[in-house]
Amino acid sequence: MNFRISARTILHLGSELISSDGVAFYELIKNSLDARASSVTVSIIYRLDHVVYAQILRELGEDRDTPPALRERYLRSLPRRRTWQQLRPVAIAGLVAEAPEVDDLEAAFQRARSRAAFITALRSANRIEVDDDGDGMSMDILQTVYLTIGTSYRAQQKLEQYADDEESSDEDEEAPRVILGEKGLGRLSAMRLGDRVTIVTAQTGSRHWNQLDIDWNDFADAADQDLDSVVVEPEEGNEKARQESGTLIQISALRSEWSADKLQSLAVEHFSKLSDPFSRARRPPLHLRFNDQPVPVPEFAGFLLEQAHGRFQARLILTGARAPRIEGRMEYRLHGRNRPLRLTTLELHTLTGIDVATIERVGAFELDMYWFNRRLLTKLEGIGNLTVVRRILAEWAGGVALYRDGYRVNPYGGANDDWLDLDRDAFSTSGFKLNRGQIIGRATITQRGNPYLVDQTNREGLKENPEKEAFVTILAAIVEIYRQYLNEIDRDIDRARRVTAAEALARFQEEDERLGSLMPLVEEALRESEGGRTLTRRLRDTVVDLRAAAELVQRAAGAQERERSRVLHLASVGLMIESLAHELYRATAAGLETIAQAKRSRNADSTGTSLRVLDSQLRTLQKRLKVLDPLSTNARQTKENFELVGWIDDIVRGFASRNEGRRIDIIARSVPPNRELRIHAVKGMFVQVLENLLSNSLFWVAAQFRERLRLHVARDDDDPIGHIEVVIDLNARRIVVTDDGPGIPEERRETVFEPFFSTKPQKQGKGLGLYIAREIAEYHGGTLTLGPADNHGNIHSVIFEIGNVDG
C-alpha cells in the first residue's frame, strides 16, 4: 500500500510553512527575481473594510478559519441570522469610498441575484497583485512545475548553473546568476495571503497568456478525499504580443486587514532589507502601491554609517590547509582607536570549543557591523534633528542581519530576533554596549561557500545542525571580543582622566606650602584693623580644616589600598581553588587506590612498591601545601624577609611535580647561578603571580601540541611536547617566564591584561589571571609586561619586574 494524501493536507502545508505575511511576500518576490524580472510591482486594492468582510462570511457560515463545531455554535448564538440579501446593505456600507474600482464592486453587490454571486463579489472585493516582466511560465511548466509542491526545478537549475560556471573561464566578466528558490514551496505563499489565486503567465514567443485559477476552499470542502480529487487545470487565456513575457499573480479573498500603514511597515521591516544594504549591487526592482498610491521602500540610510562611533569587520578564512582563521579590524572611531583582530586556528578552536572540521564545514563568511552610542548622536545637517536621526537609526538597527548571495535570510536581525544573544550579553555588562538597538550590521554567506547553512523549510532561519550552531557560536564569540575592546578603550580613557588620591594629595601639599609662605604677608597686610585680624583668624582656621580634610583623604586612600590588596588576594585564590580542588582530589584518590592495592597484595615486594608510590604522592601534597601556606588569610598582607631564588624554585618544582604527566619540561634557573637574593615582601604574592603565569603557559603549550597532532606535524611519543622556563635575572631584578607555545599576538600586548579577556573556552578561562597578576605586581611596587615579539609577531615571554623589595 502507498500513503494517501487528503485534500486538506495542502491547507496545513500552507499555514505551517509560510509563517507570516512578510515571508509570503518574500517568497513571491523571490520567484519574480528568479525569473529575471527587471520590474516587480506589488499592488494592494482594498475596497471593503475587512472587519465587515469577515463578519458577513462568518454570519453566512463561509469562513474557512473557524472549526465546524465552533462555526455552528456561533451561528446558533446569533439572535437573528440574516440572509445574504439582508447583509447586502452591510457590505455596501463597509465600502472604502476613495478606493479604486469601488463603484464596480458596489454594482456587483447590487447585481447579485443569488447567494453564490454575492459571495463571489464579496471575495473579490480586496486583492493583492504581484506583477513582473520576468521569463514567465509556459503551459508545460505551469502544469508540471508550478502545480508540483516541493518541485526540484530550481534546485536542478542551480546544479546546471554550477556546472556551467565551472566550465567557464575565470575571465568572464558577468557575475554568476543567483537563484534564490530551491524547495518548491513558494506557491503556498499565495494561500497565506488569500483564499483564491489567479496566475496569468507566458514566455516570449507564445501567442496566448496561460491562466490558472485556484480556490483553496475547494481543498477544505474536499476534506478527507484524496488530494487529486480537486481538479486544478491551467487553460489558454487571452492573446498577447509575441515579445511579451512575465507573470501576474492575483490573490483575492484576503485573509487579513490591510492598510497603507501596514504595507509601509512591511516596506520598512522587510522590503527595504530584502537585499544587502551594504552592497553596491543594484537594489531589487520592487515597487509598492496601495489603492493606486505609491508606497515608498526606504533607501538604506548610508549617511548614518558615517556617524557610527565604532565599526567591526571580520571574516572567516579557509586556507585549504586545514587551518581556518579569523581576520578583521576593530575600530573605536569616537576615540580614534583601531586594532586588528587575528585568531589562529588554535585560538579559534580553543575559544569556541568547536572542532576544526566543523569550522571548515561552516564555510567562509564575513561580518560588518557599525556601533552607535545613542547618547552621543547629534542632529545631522540636511537630515533632521536628533529625534529624526534616532528614528532613522531605529529603522535600520536591530543587530546582525544575515544575507546569502546578497539576499536576506529571515528572521535574523529582525525586530523580534536576537539570534546572537546581543541584548542578553549587553545588559549583563556595564554600559549596555552592543545591544541590538545600537547596531547596524550584517553577516554574509553564499550558497556555494556555505552549503551546510541552509534555510529551514518554513523559512524561519537556518536549519538546526552542527554547522549552524558553530556559525552562531563563532559570530557571538568574535562580537564579544569587540565588546571587550570597546570597554578596554573606555577604561583607558577613564584612567587617563582619573586623578588618584596620591596625585591629589601631592597637589594639595604643593598648594599648602605656597599658602604657608603667603600667610605671613597676608597677616602683615591685615594686622592694622580689627576686621583684617578677624579675616586672618578665619583664614588660618580654614587652612587647618583643609589640612584635616587632606589627612582624612590620606587615611582613606591607605585603607582603600589595603582593601585592594585583600580583594586581589581573594580573587586570585578564587581562581586557583578550582584547580587545587581537582589536584587534591586526584592525589587523594590515587593515594587511596595505592593503599587498597597494598592491602589486596600478598607480595611483600609489591606492597613495598605501593608504599613507596604513596610516599611520593604524600610528598607531592606536602610540597603543594608548603607553597600554599603563605596564601593563608593571616599571611596575605604580611611582609617578611625571605630568600627569593629558593622560594621561586620551590613554587616551580611544586607546579612541575603536579603536572609531570603532561610531558612538559618545567624548570627554573637563576642568572648568575648559585646566588641568593633576599627581599622584604609579601611571600604569597609571588605564588599568585607565578601560578597564574605557569598555568597559562601550560594550557597553551598543551593546546598547541594537540593542534600539531591534528595537522600531523607532531608525533605522540615519549618526547616532551613543550618547555616552560622561569629565569630569575638577579642583576636586572626580574623574573621571566618563557614557553614555546603559540605565543600572544603583538596586537594583544595590552589586551591580555584586561579583565575578562580570554581566548580560552568559557569554562576554562575567566580572563582574570593576567589582570590580577599585574595588579599584584603593581601593588607590590613592580610591573608585569610582555616580552619582545618574534619574527612572526608572537610573544612568548612575560616579565615580572620585582621592584623595590630589598630585605
Side-chain angles (χ1 to χ4, degrees):
M1 293 185 66
N2 296 322
F3 278 109
R4 294 175 57 245
I5 300 176
S6 65
R8 70 170 129 196
T9 303
I10 199 168
L11 303 178
H12 298 318
L13 284 175
S15 61
E16 294 296 327
L17 296 181
I18 307 298
S19 57
S20 69
D21 291 342
V23 171
F25 275 115
Y26 179 71
E27 292 296 313
L28 294 171
I29 294 167
K30 188 170 67 176
N31 286 342
S32 295
L33 297 176
D34 279 346
R36 294 182 282 204
S38 62
S39 177
V40 183
T41 301
V42 175
S43 298
I44 298 179
I45 304 299
Y46 187 78
R47 301 181 293 178
L48 176 64
D49 185 286
H50 185 76
V51 173
V52 174
Y53 168 79
Q55 175 194 335
I56 294 174
L57 282 184
R58 199 162 47 245
E59 195 161 341
L60 292 175
E62 293 288 340
D63 60 317
R64 175 158 64 86
D65 291 334
T66 305
L70 294 180
R71 185 186 305 140
E72 291 301 319
R73 183 185 302 173
Y74 168 77
L75 294 175
R76 287 196 302 270
S77 70
L78 294 174
R80 181 176 63 86
R81 186 174 176 182
R82 291 174 287 185
T83 65
W84 68 269
Q85 294 96 334
Q86 292 169 322
L87 288 170
R88 176 162 34 201
V90 177
I92 293 173
L95 293 175
V96 178
E98 66 275 13
E101 307 168 22
V102 68
D103 292 340
D104 296 340
L105 179 60
E106 182 177 0
F109 285 148
Q110 297 286 13
R111 283 197 308 270
R113 292 295 176 263
S114 66
R115 186 177 188 273
F118 175 70
I119 291 175
T120 297
L122 191 71
R123 284 181 167 158
S124 65
N126 301 329
R127 67 181 185 270
I128 294 172
E129 295 179 349
V130 181
D131 191 6
D132 73 59
D133 60 356
D135 295 338
M137 291 179 280
S138 66
M139 181 67 76
D140 180 62
I141 291 176
L142 201 56
Q143 289 175 318
T144 61
V145 176
Y146 190 85
L147 289 177
T148 301
I149 305 297
T151 176
S152 61
Y153 180 68
R154 291 296 185 199
Q156 187 61 37
Q157 280 187 322
K158 286 184 182 181
L159 292 176
E160 293 171 359
Q161 182 197 61
Y162 291 169
D164 291 341
D165 291 344
E166 289 175 1
E167 294 174 3
S168 64
S169 168
D170 292 339
E171 298 177 359
D172 292 345
E173 294 183 3
E174 187 176 351
R177 175 188 172 197
V178 175
I179 298 176
L180 303 176
E182 182 174 306
K183 298 182 183 299
L185 299 172
R187 64 272 296 125
L188 298 179
S189 300
M191 185 195 305
R192 164 78 194 194
L193 298 172
D195 288 342
R196 290 180 177 177
V197 60
T198 296
I199 297 100
V200 179
T201 183
Q203 295 180 329
T204 301
S206 63
R207 292 180 176 275
H208 293 84
W209 294 101
N210 307 307
Q211 183 166 326
L212 175 66
D213 294 294
I214 303 173
D215 188 336
W216 302 112
N217 288 298
D218 292 343
F219 294 90
D221 294 339
D224 294 326
Q225 298 178 43
D226 285 355
L227 181 61
D228 57 10
S229 67
V230 180
V231 178
V232 179
E233 188 70 35
E235 57 187 28
E236 189 177 89
N238 297 330
E239 290 186 1
K240 73 171 188 66
R242 283 184 174 273
Q243 70 273 18
E244 286 184 297
S245 67
T247 299
L248 169 65
I249 297 178
Q250 189 178 82
I251 304 165
S252 57
L254 302 188
R255 299 172 59 76
S256 62
E257 176 78 58
W258 284 96
S259 66
D261 288 343
K262 180 177 178 179
L263 186 58
Q264 182 64 62
S265 294
L266 282 176
V268 171
E269 295 173 15
H270 291 276
F271 301 143
S272 64
K273 301 168 187 174
L274 178 63
S275 62
D276 184 353
F278 294 1
S279 172
R280 295 181 181 178
R282 188 171 71 92
R283 296 184 66 194
L286 178 63
H287 311 280
L288 305 180
R289 302 184 70 82
F290 183 86
N291 279 352
D292 284 349
Q293 297 300 311
V295 174
V297 179
E299 294 275 350
F300 177 58
F303 64 87
L304 260 184
L305 304 184
E306 300 172 6
Q307 308 300 315
H309 301 106
R311 186 182 185 186
F312 178 41
Q313 295 171 284
R315 57 184 182 144
L316 176 67
I317 299 174
L318 303 180
T319 62
R322 295 192 297 169
R325 67 185 189 276
I326 293 287
E327 288 190 0
R329 176 159 294 276
M330 302 182 290
E331 299 179 43
Y332 200 154
R333 294 177 172 179
L334 182 64
H335 298 304
R337 305 280 190 93
N338 67 82
R339 179 186 298 162
L341 171 66
R342 297 187 184 93
L343 292 176
T344 65
T345 305
L346 173 58
E347 290 176 318
L348 184 57
H349 162 64
T350 306
L351 175 65
T352 62
I354 304 168
D355 64 273
V356 175
T358 302
I359 295 174
E360 289 183 314
R361 288 198 303 275
V362 168
F365 64 81
E366 294 188 4
L367 172 69
D368 197 357
M369 195 172 80
Y370 291 82
W371 170 70
F372 296 81
N373 185 328
R374 293 173 64 89
R375 293 183 295 105
L376 301 180
L377 285 175
T378 59
K379 69 177 183 178
L380 299 179
E381 293 299 327
I383 303 301
N385 58 27
L386 180 57
T387 301
V388 174
V389 172
R390 285 182 172 171
R391 178 182 58 76
I392 296 173
L393 175 62
E395 288 180 0
W396 291 100
V400 177
L402 181 62
Y403 289 86
R404 180 191 288 108
D405 292 314
Y407 287 91
R408 179 84 177 275
V409 178
N410 283 306
Y412 302 124
N416 300 312
D417 179 77
D418 189 15
W419 66 306
L420 298 181
D421 278 339
L422 294 176
D423 284 353
R424 185 187 67 179
D425 292 343
F427 294 135
S428 67
T429 60
S430 61
F432 306 142
K433 278 193 179 63
L434 293 187
N435 65 67
R436 291 189 304 130
Q438 296 175 314
I439 292 172
I440 298 176
R442 61 99 163 99
T444 58
I445 58 177
T446 63
Q447 292 175 352
R448 291 192 183 186
N450 311 91
Y452 292 93
L453 302 180
V454 296
D455 288 354
Q456 295 193 69
T457 303
N458 64 359
R459 298 301 191 272
E460 286 295 316
L462 298 174
K463 184 179 294 185
E464 294 295 334
N465 59 28
E467 292 75 24
K468 184 257 185 172
E469 184 179 346
F471 178 52
V472 173
T473 299
I474 294 169
L475 280 174
I478 60 178
V479 169
E480 178 58 28
I481 291 176
Y482 181 55
R483 189 203 313 278
Q484 293 170 354
Y485 167 74
L486 295 177
N487 286 330
E488 174 192 341
I489 299 303
D490 278 346
R491 281 192 293 269
D492 246 5
I493 299 300
D494 289 344
R495 278 195 292 265
R497 295 171 178 166
R498 187 184 303 144
V499 177
T500 66
E503 291 170 336
L505 288 168
R507 178 69 183 273
F508 174 82
Q509 189 172 1
E510 292 175 6
E511 296 302 321
D512 185 49
E513 290 175 357
R514 287 182 58 198
L515 188 59
S517 64
L518 291 173
M519 280 300 295
L521 299 176
V522 173
E523 290 179 0
E524 182 67 28
L526 298 177
R527 66 168 43 173
E528 298 302 326
S529 67
E530 181 62 30
R533 289 192 293 273
T534 301
L535 182 59
T536 299
R537 287 194 298 271
R538 291 174 59 188
L539 187 59
R540 282 190 174 279
D541 291 341
T542 301
V543 170
V544 170
D545 290 342
L546 286 174
R547 287 172 177 167
E551 186 178 352
L552 286 174
V553 170
Q554 192 168 15
R555 287 204 299 269
Q560 184 184 38
E561 193 67 10
R562 290 191 297 273
E563 180 64 14
R564 177 191 178 200
S565 170
R566 187 180 73 84
V567 171
L568 286 173
H569 169 82
L570 293 176
S572 186
V573 171
L575 287 177
M576 295 171 64
I577 200 68
E578 293 180 47
S579 61
L580 288 178
H582 176 69
E583 291 169 17
L584 293 174
Y585 172 79
R586 185 177 58 186
T588 304
L592 291 173
E593 177 60 27
T594 301
I595 294 172
Q597 288 177 356
K599 286 182 176 180
R600 290 193 299 266
S601 175
R602 298 181 179 180
N603 186 319
D605 292 338
S606 174
T607 301
T609 301
S610 296
L611 292 176
R612 283 193 295 273
V613 171
L614 178 60
D615 179 70
S616 175
Q617 291 166 341
L618 292 175
R619 288 179 183 276
T620 298
L621 278 175
Q622 189 176 34
K623 289 180 181 178
R624 182 59 168 155
L625 294 173
K626 175 185 175 183
V627 170
L628 292 178
D629 185 61
L631 291 176
S632 65
T633 304
N634 292 332
R636 65 173 178 258
Q637 292 176 327
T638 305
K639 290 188 176 182
E640 59 184 293
N641 290 312
F642 63 94
E643 198 283 308
L644 180 64
V645 177
W647 179 232
I648 291 178
D649 190 60
D650 280 347
I651 297 171
V652 175
R653 284 177 182 274
F655 188 88
S657 68
R658 300 195 314 275
N659 295 283
E660 59 186 354
R662 295 176 179 264
R663 291 166 39 212
I664 299 175
D665 285 340
I666 305 172
I667 63 170
R669 63 185 178 90
S670 60
V671 179
N674 303 320
R675 270 183 48 184
E676 293 186 348
L677 175 63
R678 297 201 65 81
I679 63 173
H680 184 70
V682 181
K683 204 172 183 181
M685 286 188 172
F686 286 84
V687 181
Q688 293 170 277
V689 173
L690 265 294
E691 285 274 350
N692 281 328
L693 300 184
L694 290 170
S695 295
N696 275 344
S697 291
L698 187 80
F699 177 89
W700 287 110
V701 168
Q704 178 177 259
F705 177 69
R706 291 192 296 271
E707 176 68 4
R708 288 176 172 171
L709 284 178
R710 184 186 69 83
L711 295 172
H712 304 295
V713 296
R715 293 184 300 175
D716 197 5
D717 49 28
D718 293 331
D719 292 337
I721 67 173
H723 304 81
I724 303 173
E725 183 180 48
V726 180
V727 176
I728 307 107
D729 188 334
L730 298 172
N731 294 327
R733 302 177 66 82
R734 66 185 187 181
I735 304 165
V736 182
V737 179
T738 305
D739 64 59
D740 55 4
I744 298 170
E746 172 70 35
E747 61 265 20
R748 286 190 223 144
R749 179 176 288 277
E750 288 303 313
T751 305
V752 294
F753 292 105
E754 288 295 319
F756 306 110
F757 176 84
S758 177
T759 52
K760 292 180 182 178
Q762 188 174 8
K763 293 182 180 179
Q764 297 184 45
K766 297 177 174 58
L768 290 172
L770 286 176
Y771 166 73
I772 291 174
R774 171 176 273 190
E775 290 287 305
I776 289 173
E778 291 178 355
Y779 169 79
H780 214 74
T783 62
L784 197 71
T785 57
L786 298 186
D790 61 18
N791 294 334
H792 301 289
N794 294 320
I795 302 166
H796 296 271
S797 59
V798 183
I799 302 170
F800 177 15
E801 301 282 355
I802 300 172
N804 184 21
V805 287
D806 289 334

